[in-house]
Amino acid sequence: MASLAEIRAKLKEQEANTGGNRSSGGGDNSIYPFWNMKEGEQSTIRFLPDGDADNTFFWKERLVIKLPFAGIKGETDSRPVQVQVPCMEMYGESCPILAEVRGWFKDASLEDMGRKYWKKRSYIFQGFVTDNPLTDDTTPENPIRRFIIGPQIFQLIKAALMDPDMEELPTDYTAGVDFRLSKGSKGGYADYGASNWARRERPLSDQEMAAVNTNGLFNLNDFLPKKPDETALRVLTEMFEASVDGEAYDPERWSNYFRPAGMAARTGDPQNRAPAPAAAPAAAPAAPVAEATTDTGWQDPAPAAPTAEAAPAEGGAQDILAMIRARQG
């Protein structure tokens, strides 16, 4: 487990590298849906360390891009759908979508479209829910829950860690502190700005320690989307261009790689398209579908706060991208 000093040093290093800029659960109830709290309600959380001893922090950052589609190809009553794909910057590599979108912010007429395709940032934590206002939420057999935290709440967590008055890690089993997650509203949207750390230390209870010893800690890295291979990266880029073009989602071409939440992969050949990329591997990788979230404070303030989505532009994706590139030139 990293010390508080090591966490502070790593956070300062990250701020120096970025110039200080900030850039619902899955199939079970292990993810705590705090966003379902009513306005004015508060839950109490005790964060735990990452099961990965090599992780300096007690969280993992997740970056995804949401690709909107006009519907699903072949379904006459299909409504608009959205597909989450991993941003390659999450793996320390250049992201082809962001490489394209980043330049759009230099043109005022393209900013809205740029925000729509900008990366969405969230953070995965784990811990106990010690005070739960959600009457319909049941504690799973393993009471160690996962939390999908958005940038607003994360900044409150980070600010406290950098505060010299905090002398011990909040995840320490004997000298740690709880986190009070409070839901309010601001401008018609959920607001968690009143959330804060408890002022008093609290050792884990005998029941909590027993849960840690019996179940162990999650390796948070296991809950990040799988890194796309070369073929999946080509599919991802093709989907981005189709989304910009206003096309419908094509499950025959893409569902073996990325698909809307709840959709099963089709048996069709995802390589059956023109122009065809290199031959697909013998077994297509499972679609790296990120865990869905709702109202978690996902809004990422970098490069700017999202606004209303721009209407789909006319013409093909290649024409749109060529026009954008010409403007930038």
Side-chain angles (χ1 to χ4, degrees):
M1 184 190 305
S3 68
L4 184 56
E6 289 173 324
I7 288 180
R8 286 172 176 164
K10 192 70 175 286
L11 287 172
K12 288 181 179 179
E13 178 185 348
Q14 288 184 347
E15 286 188 345
N17 291 338
T18 60
N21 290 330
R22 292 183 294 173
S23 319
S24 111
D28 56 38
N29 64 339
S30 60
I31 296 177
Y32 178 59
F34 63 84
W35 50 85
N36 288 335
M37 291 192 302
K38 298 177 182 178
E39 182 178 344
E41 289 185 333
Q42 175 180 276
S43 60
T44 304
I45 295 169
R46 179 58 170 267
F47 292 123
L48 294 171
D50 188 358
D52 179 5
D54 294 330
N55 183 12
T56 302
F57 305 125
F58 52 95
W59 63 84
K60 291 292 291 188
E61 182 181 66
R62 185 175 67 172
L63 300 174
V64 300
I65 295 171
K66 298 182 179 181
L67 302 179
F69 291 92
I72 298 177
K73 185 177 180 179
E75 297 185 6
T76 56
D77 58 346
S78 176
R79 297 181 179 181
V81 297
Q82 195 166 232
V83 181
Q84 287 189 168
V85 298
C87 173
M88 294 302 292
E89 289 188 357
M90 179 165 51
Y91 314 104
E93 299 182 11
S94 175
C95 178
I97 295 179
L98 293 191
E100 187 73 54
V101 172
R102 192 168 274 111
W104 298 0
F105 293 93
K106 299 177 182 179
D107 187 328
S109 67
L110 300 174
E111 287 184 3
D112 284 351
M113 183 177 290
R115 294 186 186 109
K116 180 164 62 174
Y117 290 100
W118 193 250
K119 61 188 175 185
K120 305 298 185 292
R121 191 186 310 263
S122 63
Y123 305 84
I124 305 174
F125 291 75
Q126 66 181 317
F128 296 109
V129 179
T130 63
D131 186 15
N132 187 1
L134 301 177
T135 56
D136 57 349
D137 177 69
T138 57
T139 302
E141 183 178 353
N142 178 1
I144 299 176
R145 314 287 290 268
R146 295 195 303 279
F147 308 95
I148 310 298
I149 300 296
Q152 182 192 31
I153 301 171
F154 178 75
Q155 290 304 315
L156 298 174
I157 295 172
K158 176 182 173 181
L161 292 174
M162 301 301 290
D163 189 338
D165 288 340
M166 180 173 280
E167 298 179 351
E168 298 289 346
L169 269 173
T171 57
D172 190 271
Y173 291 164
T174 58
V177 292
D178 296 335
F179 186 74
R180 302 190 187 101
L181 188 53
S182 301
K183 183 175 182 178
S185 64
K186 187 175 183 179
Y189 295 93
D191 180 79
Y192 301 95
S195 304
N196 55 45
W197 294 96
R199 295 184 179 182
R200 293 184 179 181
E201 300 174 353
R202 182 185 71 82
L204 293 183
S205 67
D206 292 341
Q207 292 81 5
E208 290 169 336
M209 280 304 309
V212 172
N213 294 330
T214 301
N215 301 289
L217 298 171
F218 291 116
N219 185 329
L220 299 178
N221 201 57
D222 293 343
F223 302 99
L224 295 179
K226 181 181 178 181
K227 180 181 177 181
D229 61 14
E230 183 178 353
T231 304
L233 193 57
R234 285 196 292 269
V235 172
L236 183 154
T237 303
E238 179 183 299
M239 289 175 60
F240 163 64
E241 294 180 352
S243 174
V244 173
D245 191 26
E247 295 181 11
Y249 173 83
D250 190 340
E252 293 296 333
R253 294 157 67 188
W254 304 321
S255 66
N256 278 7
Y257 293 87
F258 309 99
R259 56 187 182 270
M263 172 181 284
R266 298 286 178 90
T267 57
D269 182 3
Q271 304 301 324
N272 186 19
R273 56 183 181 271
V289 179
E291 291 173 303
T293 59
T294 305
D295 185 26
T296 61
W298 270 66
Q299 181 168 301
D300 191 350
T307 56
E309 293 185 354
E314 299 294 332
Q318 294 299 333
D319 293 339
I320 296 172
L321 295 175
M323 176 271 292
I324 290 172
R325 290 164 182 159
R327 288 189 187 180
Q328 295 170 357

